[in-house]
Short mmCIF file of all heavy atoms in Angstrom, two decimals:
data_model
loop_
_atom_site.label_atom_id
_atom_site.label_comp_id
_atom_site.label_asym_id
_atom_site.label_seq_id
_atom_site.Cartn_x
_atom_site.Cartn_y
_atom_site.Cartn_z
N GLU T 72 170.59 23.13 127.20
CA GLU T 72 170.23 24.12 126.18
C GLU T 72 169.19 23.53 125.25
O GLU T 72 169.18 23.79 124.05
CB GLU T 72 171.47 24.57 125.41
CG GLU T 72 172.43 25.38 126.26
CD GLU T 72 173.57 25.96 125.46
OE1 GLU T 72 173.73 25.63 124.27
OE2 GLU T 72 174.34 26.77 126.03
N SER T 73 168.28 22.72 125.82
CA SER T 73 167.25 22.13 124.97
C SER T 73 165.88 22.45 125.52
O SER T 73 165.56 23.58 125.83
CB SER T 73 167.50 20.62 124.85
OG SER T 73 167.43 20.00 126.11
N VAL T 74 165.09 21.42 125.69
CA VAL T 74 163.66 21.56 125.97
C VAL T 74 163.40 22.37 127.24
O VAL T 74 164.14 22.29 128.21
CB VAL T 74 163.04 20.16 126.12
CG1 VAL T 74 161.61 20.23 126.62
CG2 VAL T 74 163.12 19.41 124.80
N SER T 75 162.32 23.13 127.18
CA SER T 75 161.86 23.86 128.36
C SER T 75 160.39 23.54 128.60
O SER T 75 159.63 23.33 127.65
CB SER T 75 162.03 25.36 128.17
OG SER T 75 161.48 26.07 129.28
N THR T 76 160.02 23.48 129.86
CA THR T 76 158.61 23.31 130.22
C THR T 76 158.18 24.47 131.12
O THR T 76 158.91 24.86 132.03
CB THR T 76 158.35 21.98 130.93
OG1 THR T 76 159.22 21.89 132.06
CG2 THR T 76 158.60 20.81 130.01
N LEU T 77 157.02 24.99 130.84
CA LEU T 77 156.39 26.01 131.67
C LEU T 77 155.22 25.35 132.37
O LEU T 77 154.36 24.77 131.71
CB LEU T 77 155.92 27.18 130.82
CG LEU T 77 155.14 28.29 131.54
CD1 LEU T 77 156.06 29.07 132.46
CD2 LEU T 77 154.49 29.23 130.53
N THR T 78 155.21 25.40 133.68
CA THR T 78 154.16 24.77 134.47
C THR T 78 153.33 25.84 135.17
O THR T 78 153.88 26.76 135.77
CB THR T 78 154.76 23.81 135.52
OG1 THR T 78 155.55 22.82 134.85
CG2 THR T 78 153.66 23.12 136.31
N ILE T 79 152.04 25.70 135.05
CA ILE T 79 151.12 26.58 135.77
C ILE T 79 150.31 25.70 136.70
O ILE T 79 149.59 24.79 136.27
CB ILE T 79 150.19 27.34 134.82
CG1 ILE T 79 150.98 28.03 133.71
CG2 ILE T 79 149.37 28.37 135.60
CD1 ILE T 79 150.12 28.66 132.62
N GLN T 80 150.42 25.97 137.98
CA GLN T 80 149.68 25.19 138.97
C GLN T 80 148.38 25.90 139.32
O GLN T 80 148.29 27.13 139.31
CB GLN T 80 150.53 25.01 140.22
CG GLN T 80 151.80 24.21 140.00
CD GLN T 80 152.65 24.11 141.26
OE1 GLN T 80 152.95 25.12 141.89
NE2 GLN T 80 153.03 22.90 141.63
N ARG T 81 147.38 25.09 139.65
CA ARG T 81 146.10 25.63 140.13
C ARG T 81 145.63 26.75 139.20
O ARG T 81 145.42 27.89 139.61
CB ARG T 81 146.23 26.13 141.57
CG ARG T 81 146.75 25.07 142.53
CD ARG T 81 146.88 25.60 143.95
NE ARG T 81 147.70 26.78 144.07
CZ ARG T 81 149.02 26.79 144.09
NH1 ARG T 81 149.70 25.64 143.97
NH2 ARG T 81 149.71 27.92 144.22
N THR T 82 145.45 26.42 137.94
CA THR T 82 145.14 27.44 136.93
C THR T 82 143.90 28.25 137.31
O THR T 82 142.95 27.75 137.92
CB THR T 82 144.93 26.80 135.56
OG1 THR T 82 143.96 25.74 135.67
CG2 THR T 82 146.22 26.25 134.99
N GLN T 83 143.96 29.50 136.90
CA GLN T 83 142.87 30.45 137.08
C GLN T 83 142.42 30.94 135.71
O GLN T 83 143.17 30.85 134.73
CB GLN T 83 143.34 31.64 137.92
CG GLN T 83 143.90 31.26 139.27
CD GLN T 83 142.85 30.67 140.19
OE1 GLN T 83 141.75 31.21 140.30
NE2 GLN T 83 143.17 29.56 140.83
N GLN T 84 141.22 31.48 135.65
CA GLN T 84 140.70 31.93 134.36
C GLN T 84 141.58 33.03 133.76
O GLN T 84 141.71 33.11 132.53
CB GLN T 84 139.25 32.39 134.50
CG GLN T 84 138.29 31.22 134.69
CD GLN T 84 136.84 31.64 134.70
OE1 GLN T 84 136.50 32.74 135.11
NE2 GLN T 84 135.97 30.74 134.26
N GLU T 85 142.19 33.84 134.60
CA GLU T 85 143.03 34.92 134.06
C GLU T 85 144.33 34.38 133.46
O GLU T 85 145.08 35.15 132.84
CB GLU T 85 143.37 35.96 135.13
CG GLU T 85 144.22 35.45 136.27
CD GLU T 85 143.42 35.11 137.51
OE1 GLU T 85 142.22 34.79 137.36
OE2 GLU T 85 144.00 35.16 138.60
N ASP T 86 144.59 33.08 133.61
CA ASP T 86 145.77 32.48 132.98
C ASP T 86 145.51 32.19 131.50
O ASP T 86 146.44 31.86 130.76
CB ASP T 86 146.18 31.18 133.67
CG ASP T 86 146.54 31.37 135.13
OD1 ASP T 86 146.94 32.50 135.51
OD2 ASP T 86 146.39 30.40 135.90
N SER T 87 144.27 32.29 131.08
CA SER T 87 143.94 32.03 129.67
C SER T 87 144.69 33.02 128.79
O SER T 87 144.57 34.25 128.96
CB SER T 87 142.43 32.16 129.43
OG SER T 87 141.73 31.18 130.16
N ALA T 88 145.45 32.50 127.84
CA ALA T 88 146.29 33.33 126.99
C ALA T 88 146.98 32.42 125.97
O ALA T 88 146.86 31.20 126.04
CB ALA T 88 147.35 34.06 127.81
N VAL T 89 147.68 33.05 125.06
CA VAL T 89 148.61 32.30 124.20
C VAL T 89 149.99 32.41 124.84
O VAL T 89 150.46 33.52 125.14
CB VAL T 89 148.64 32.86 122.77
CG1 VAL T 89 149.70 32.13 121.95
CG2 VAL T 89 147.27 32.73 122.12
N TYR T 90 150.60 31.27 125.06
CA TYR T 90 151.93 31.23 125.66
C TYR T 90 152.94 30.98 124.54
O TYR T 90 152.88 29.96 123.85
CB TYR T 90 152.00 30.16 126.75
CG TYR T 90 151.22 30.59 127.97
CD1 TYR T 90 149.84 30.42 128.02
CD2 TYR T 90 151.85 31.21 129.04
CE1 TYR T 90 149.10 30.86 129.11
CE2 TYR T 90 151.13 31.64 130.15
CZ TYR T 90 149.76 31.47 130.17
OH TYR T 90 149.03 31.90 131.25
N LEU T 91 153.84 31.92 124.38
CA LEU T 91 154.80 31.87 123.29
C LEU T 91 156.19 31.59 123.84
O LEU T 91 156.60 32.16 124.85
CB LEU T 91 154.82 33.19 122.52
CG LEU T 91 153.60 33.46 121.66
CD1 LEU T 91 153.48 34.95 121.36
CD2 LEU T 91 153.69 32.69 120.35
N CYS T 92 156.90 30.74 123.14
CA CYS T 92 158.29 30.45 123.46
C CYS T 92 159.15 30.97 122.32
O CYS T 92 158.73 30.95 121.15
CB CYS T 92 158.48 28.95 123.62
SG CYS T 92 160.18 28.40 123.80
N ALA T 93 160.30 31.48 122.63
CA ALA T 93 161.24 31.95 121.62
C ALA T 93 162.64 31.51 122.00
O ALA T 93 162.96 31.37 123.18
CB ALA T 93 161.19 33.47 121.47
N SER T 94 163.47 31.29 121.00
CA SER T 94 164.88 31.00 121.28
C SER T 94 165.74 31.92 120.44
O SER T 94 165.31 32.46 119.41
CB SER T 94 165.22 29.54 121.02
OG SER T 94 165.21 29.22 119.64
N SER T 95 166.96 32.12 120.89
CA SER T 95 167.87 32.96 120.13
C SER T 95 169.30 32.54 120.42
O SER T 95 169.59 31.88 121.42
CB SER T 95 167.67 34.44 120.46
OG SER T 95 168.12 34.73 121.76
N LEU T 96 170.16 32.96 119.52
CA LEU T 96 171.58 32.69 119.67
C LEU T 96 172.23 33.96 120.18
O LEU T 96 172.08 35.02 119.59
CB LEU T 96 172.19 32.28 118.33
CG LEU T 96 173.63 31.82 118.34
CD1 LEU T 96 173.81 30.59 119.19
CD2 LEU T 96 174.09 31.54 116.91
N LEU T 97 172.92 33.90 121.28
CA LEU T 97 173.60 35.06 121.84
C LEU T 97 172.66 36.22 122.10
O LEU T 97 173.05 37.37 122.00
CB LEU T 97 174.74 35.52 120.90
CG LEU T 97 175.77 34.44 120.57
CD1 LEU T 97 176.81 34.97 119.59
CD2 LEU T 97 176.45 33.96 121.85
N ALA T 98 171.39 35.91 122.39
CA ALA T 98 170.41 36.90 122.81
C ALA T 98 170.23 38.03 121.79
O ALA T 98 170.04 39.17 122.16
CB ALA T 98 170.77 37.48 124.18
N VAL T 99 170.27 37.68 120.50
CA VAL T 99 169.89 38.67 119.49
C VAL T 99 168.50 38.29 118.96
O VAL T 99 167.63 37.95 119.72
CB VAL T 99 170.96 38.80 118.40
CG1 VAL T 99 172.18 39.52 118.96
CG2 VAL T 99 171.37 37.46 117.84
N GLU T 100 168.27 38.34 117.65
CA GLU T 100 166.92 38.11 117.15
C GLU T 100 166.34 36.80 117.69
O GLU T 100 166.99 35.76 117.71
CB GLU T 100 166.94 38.03 115.63
CG GLU T 100 167.30 39.33 114.93
CD GLU T 100 168.78 39.47 114.71
OE1 GLU T 100 169.52 38.56 115.08
OE2 GLU T 100 169.18 40.51 114.16
N GLN T 101 165.09 36.91 118.09
CA GLN T 101 164.41 35.76 118.66
C GLN T 101 163.55 35.09 117.60
O GLN T 101 162.92 35.76 116.80
CB GLN T 101 163.53 36.18 119.82
CG GLN T 101 164.30 36.81 120.95
CD GLN T 101 163.38 37.32 122.02
OE1 GLN T 101 162.65 36.56 122.64
NE2 GLN T 101 163.40 38.61 122.25
#
Side-chain angles (χ1 to χ4, degrees):
Chain T
E72 291 187 352
S73 61
V74 171
S75 175
T76 55
L77 176 70
T78 302
I79 309 172
Q80 296 178 309
R81 304 180 304 281
T82 52
Q83 303 294 314
Q84 287 185 329
E85 65 261 26
D86 299 335
S87 296
V89 175
Y90 288 82
L91 288 160
C92 172
S94 70
S95 71
L96 186 62
L97 304 177
V99 288
E100 293 90 0
Q101 299 175 62

